[in-house]
């Protein structure tokens, strides 16, 4: 095997260690990943834009720092795939939409800036459902991403590109965003790890807003420790984001290294583990519960009686906020402009033509739903009611966390479904997020990690861990303990093997 083929299989922490020890250069690592992308991304389509020159330059800068004897930060030289909803100065940022085609933002998001400052090598921008609306990446205006485990299946969404890039060994690290599950559900169906941090834990500056009260950027990787290292790199207070929490970041890396659940109380959410889950998903989930018990945790069932209303509340709150956030895409300030030269149109006509041409059907559906829910006379019945449900869900979490340290559930009801299978049925698509949405509504953190393959189809299954706000470290402690036990049990890193591409 060539050196490049080995390098793409390293974890992020192994890569960083090899670079800082001088065993390999950051440029070689970047080149190995760029070669991998060139070899497989025609079939996977994880990337919308690959920044070959920028990546090699950033890698060369890391090598130069090392040569100058400077101390490298923990992820220096490690390649990363950035979801196309976060700005990177001078690099196309489309949010998977035609309406932003050709827009090159003049500034870095805070996440991007922190990655650059840490010497992380940004390989490119990843595909996503348009404006992060979806669970399959099929709503991208630039064509779907394919799941590396089976190219006829979806990689989850909206961050399917970031998750697929990890599973296809095109990058060891990725950034996603999670408004209702867009980090965790793609992680589940691609056999990777993804974390939605506590709301306010990671800056939203430069994250193109979908639903501002729910959106959260977060780390994705193939192992829990790598995810923790990335979390620590991007988290922390940012004065540029008024919703950013000015509190100390929990030590997620120490928690991932501790990996010890002895004496912990773990609650299985009753409402998220019963009917409606694929048999193999249930089976792997139940096995993980048994493993956590063997490891010394006390596992109990916990009721969260308002969780069944979360999906309905979310699909009022999200479209309402989205319809307002997307009003700025008017053909005047960013990207696409349509129908300007056709007669002498009014500004309203240009805006209307641009929006009709630039937005896809799912985005238009949600703008219409949101505009309706916010309209006078309906506001209290819809948006107001949904906000009350949101409070009840936060109370369910608060009551549960008096009894247990973390909650768990399967991340998604099924393994990856076939491309096209749910495209004509929005409600079936929305139901993928039934287990992930409660944490967004409450602002609490959640992780999905792989817990094996479903026996019936051989596809990855994800388990979700949820913790109280600002206790993100608990996710990593429990996740790392479970990950280590699963690897011991299988005797080989089953979920880290490159699927056949
Ligand atoms: N799938 C959910 C939706 O379509 C979640 C989106 C997200 O987290 N960005 O809204």
């Amino acid at each position: 095997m060539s050196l490049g083929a080995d390098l793409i299989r390293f974890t992020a922490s192994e890569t960083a260690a090899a670079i800082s020890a001088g065993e390999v250069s950051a440029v070689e690592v970047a080149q190995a990943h760029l070669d991998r992308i060139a070899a497989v991304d025609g079939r996977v389509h994880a990337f919308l834009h690959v920044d070959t020159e920028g990546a090699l330059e950033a890698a060369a800068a890391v090598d130069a720092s090392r040569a100058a004897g400077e101390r490298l930060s923990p992820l220096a030289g490690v390649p990363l795939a950035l979801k196309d909803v976060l700005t990177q100065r001078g690099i196309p940022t489309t949010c998977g939409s035609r309406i932003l085609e050709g827009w090159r933002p003049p500034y870095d998001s805070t996440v991007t800036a922190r990655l650059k400052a840490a010497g992380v090598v940004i390989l490119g921008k990843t595909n996503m459902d348009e404006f992060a609306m979806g669970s399959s990446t099929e709503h991208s205006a630039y064509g779907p991403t394919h799941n590396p485990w089976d190219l006829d299946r979806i990689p989850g969404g909206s961050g399917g590109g970031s998750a697929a890039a990890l599973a296809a060994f095109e990058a060891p690290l990725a950034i996603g965003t999670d408004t209702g599950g867009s980090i965790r559900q793609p992680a589940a169906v691609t056999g990777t790890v993804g974390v939605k941090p506590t709301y306010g834990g990671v800056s939203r500056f430069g994250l193109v807003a979908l639903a501002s009260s729910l959106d959260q950027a977060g780390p994705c990787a193939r192992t829990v420790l790598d995810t923790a290292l990335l979390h620590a790199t991007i988290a922390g207070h940012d004065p540029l984001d008024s919703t950013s929490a000015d509190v100390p970041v929990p030590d997620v890396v120490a928690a991932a290294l501790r990996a010890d659940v002895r004496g912990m109380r773990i609650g299985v959410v009753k409402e998220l583990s019963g009917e409606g889950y694929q048999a193999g998903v249930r089976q792997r989930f139940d096995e993980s519960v048994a493993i956590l018990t063997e490891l010394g945790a006390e596992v109990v069932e916990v009721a969260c009686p308002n969780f069944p209303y979360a999906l309905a509340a979310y699909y009022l709150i999200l479209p309402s906020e989205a319809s307002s956030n997307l009003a700025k895409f008017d053909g005047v300030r960013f990207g696409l402009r349509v129908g300007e030269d056709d007669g002498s149109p009014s500004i309203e006509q240009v805006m209307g033509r641009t929006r009709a041409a630039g937005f896809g059907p799912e985005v238009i559906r949600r703008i219409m739903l949101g505009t309706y829910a916010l309209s006078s006379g309906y506001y209290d019945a819809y948006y107001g009611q949904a906000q009350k449900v949101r409070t009840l869900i936060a109370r369910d979490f608060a009551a549960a966390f008096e009894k247990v340290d973390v909650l768990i559930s399967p991340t998604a009801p099924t393994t990856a479904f076939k491309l096209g299978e749910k495209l004509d049925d929005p409600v079936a698509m929305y139901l993928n997020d039934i287990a992930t949405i409660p944490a967004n509504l409450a602002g609490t953190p959640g992780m999905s990690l792989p817990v094996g393959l479903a026996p019936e189809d051989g596809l990855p299954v994800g388990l979700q861990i949820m913790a109280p706000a600002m206790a993100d470290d608990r996710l990593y402690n429990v996740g790392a303990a479970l990950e280590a036990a699963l690897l011991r049990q299988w005797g080989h890193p089953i979920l880290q093997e490159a699927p056949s591409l």
Side-chain angles (χ1 to χ4, degrees):
M1 219 192 274
S2 71
L3 179 65
D6 280 341
L7 287 178
I8 61 165
R9 281 174 175 74
F10 281 16
T11 64
S13 50
E14 287 165 353
T15 304
I19 290 170
S20 85
E23 289 159 14
V24 65
S25 72
V27 168
E28 285 172 297
V29 171
Q31 192 58 58
H33 287 88
L34 292 166
D35 291 348
R36 175 70 171 174
I37 292 169
V40 303
D41 209 52
R43 281 166 287 158
V44 178
H45 193 225
F47 285 88
L48 291 177
H49 178 83
V50 178
D51 180 21
T52 304
E53 207 179 304
L56 291 172
E57 255 172 47
V62 170
D63 290 334
S65 298
R66 189 184 170 276
E70 287 167 28
R71 200 163 160 267
L72 298 183
S73 58
L75 289 176
V78 182
L80 174 139
L82 185 62
K83 189 176 178 182
D84 203 27
V85 69
L86 286 144
T87 61
Q88 180 179 354
R89 187 156 56 86
I91 301 291
T93 299
T94 68
C95 300
S97 182
R98 289 275 171 224
I99 210 156
L100 276 176
E101 203 167 8
W103 184 57
R104 289 177 186 256
Y107 69 107
D108 281 333
S109 75
T110 296
V111 167
T112 308
R114 288 186 181 178
L115 293 169
K116 286 181 175 176
V120 172
V121 172
I122 302 173
L123 295 172
K125 307 296 292 290
T126 56
N127 199 11
M128 55 185 281
D129 285 297
E130 186 173 1
F131 286 108
M133 298 178 191
S135 301
S136 69
T137 315
E138 293 167 291
H139 296 313
S140 167
Y142 303 97
T145 297
H146 300 256
N147 190 322
W149 288 85
D150 176 346
L151 295 172
D152 293 331
R153 291 182 188 262
I154 59 101
S158 64
S162 285
L166 297 171
F169 288 75
E170 293 171 291
L173 296 175
I175 296 289
T177 59
D178 192 311
T179 305
S182 286
I183 287 177
R184 290 163 289 160
Q185 182 258 3
V189 299
T190 57
T192 58
V193 183
V195 167
K196 180 197 95 71
T198 299
Y199 183 79
V202 174
S203 171
R204 294 188 301 112
F205 178 74
L207 192 185
V208 180
L210 167 55
S212 310
S213 75
L214 301 161
D215 296 343
Q216 189 54 209
C220 312
R222 288 190 294 265
T223 71
V224 173
L225 178 61
D226 284 358
T227 312
L229 289 164
L230 185 56
H231 191 139
T233 304
I234 60 173
H237 181 239
D238 176 15
L240 296 175
D241 171 4
S242 61
T243 61
S244 162
D246 193 1
V247 294
V249 181
D251 194 342
V252 293
V253 175
L257 293 169
R258 183 171 349 115
D260 182 0
V261 295
R262 276 174 298 174
M264 278 187 87
R265 292 164 307 161
I266 297 179
V268 173
V269 181
K270 186 165 157 255
E271 290 74 9
L272 298 181
S273 52
E275 306 256 293
Y277 290 83
Q278 185 182 322
V281 170
R282 282 296 314 254
Q283 186 185 329
R284 294 300 179 220
F285 178 75
D286 291 344
E287 286 167 11
S288 300
V289 169
I291 291 171
L292 289 166
T293 310
E294 271 165 44
L295 291 174
E298 185 196 330
V299 186
V300 294
E301 193 175 70
V302 176
C304 293
N306 294 296
F307 279 21
Y309 308 111
L311 194 78
Y314 172 87
Y315 277 101
L316 286 167
I317 294 169
L318 178 132
S320 299
E321 295 188 13
S323 69
S324 159
N325 275 326
L326 296 183
K328 63 180 163 285
F329 302 109
D330 54 9
V332 177
R333 284 167 290 184
F334 313 93
L336 190 72
R337 182 176 304 164
V338 175
E340 201 179 10
D341 306 322
D342 186 5
S344 32
S346 67
I347 180 86
E348 285 79 12
Q349 282 170 323
V350 173
M351 284 180 185
R353 287 172 192 167
T354 301
R355 286 168 68 83
F359 287 140
E362 182 62 24
V363 173
I364 290 174
R365 175 171 16 245
R366 295 203 196 187
I367 290 174
M368 287 171 68
L369 284 170
T371 312
Y372 183 74
L374 290 177
S375 56
S376 137
Y378 294 104
Y379 184 94
D380 287 341
Y382 295 118
Y383 189 73
Q385 191 74 2
Q387 291 290 24
K388 289 180 188 159
V389 172
R390 188 171 188 174
T391 303
L392 294 176
I393 286 164
R395 284 190 195 153
D396 276 0
F397 271 113
F401 290 132
E402 286 190 359
K403 298 186 212 116
V404 295
D405 301 304
V406 294
L407 291 166
I408 58 171
S409 75
T411 310
T414 66
T415 56
F417 49 91
K418 288 248 163 68
L419 285 158
E421 199 179 308
K422 301 190 180 176
L423 208 47
D424 297 329
D425 186 347
V427 176
M429 191 70 92
Y430 297 171
L431 282 167
N432 285 290
D433 306 305
I434 194 136
T436 47
I437 280 173
N440 298 83
L441 290 173
T444 48
M447 168 187 282
S448 179
L449 80 154
V451 291
L453 305 177
E456 61 270 41
D457 54 23
L459 293 167
V461 173
L463 177 139
Q464 176 178 226
I465 308 169
M466 293 169 279
M470 296 301 163
D472 305 47
D473 50 333
R474 291 187 202 169
L475 307 175
Y476 289 95
N477 181 28
V478 177
L482 183 55
E483 176 187 63
L486 288 165
L487 294 184
R488 278 198 300 276
Q489 172 171 313
W490 285 317
H492 63 101
I494 180 166
L495 290 169
Q496 294 176 48
E497 269 176 15
S500 52
L501 272 177

